[in-house]
Amino acid sequence: MIAPVLIIQLILLIVAIVDLVKVKETNGPKWLWALIILLVSIFGPILYFIFGRRQS
């Protein structure tokens, strides 16, 4: 029952980190977003995709 949640969390974490590395500019410093993504469990990547990405 916990395995699907862990898999989703891992996928979100990997996708968010890859996106953070590829994007040139973010809303705020990249190092801070990396910490948020890594340390705030499943909500870190979600917060990055909602607030961290700069819309062009």
Side-chain angles (χ1 to χ4, degrees):
M1 186 147 167
I2 293 178
V5 174
L6 291 176
I7 292 170
I8 291 170
Q9 180 180 356
L10 181 64
I11 291 170
L12 270 174
L13 181 105
I14 292 170
V15 170
I17 291 294
V18 168
D19 186 72
L20 181 66
V21 169
K22 286 185 177 182
V23 73
K24 289 190 179 213
E25 293 184 20
T26 60
N27 292 329
K30 280 189 173 189
W31 65 268
L32 181 62
W33 281 114
L35 285 176
I36 291 171
I37 291 168
L38 293 172
L39 298 178
V40 187
S41 185
I42 199 164
F43 297 109
I46 294 170
L47 289 173
Y48 168 70
F49 285 121
I50 293 173
F51 299 111
R53 297 180 76 195
R54 187 165 287 195
Q55 303 298 326
S56 54

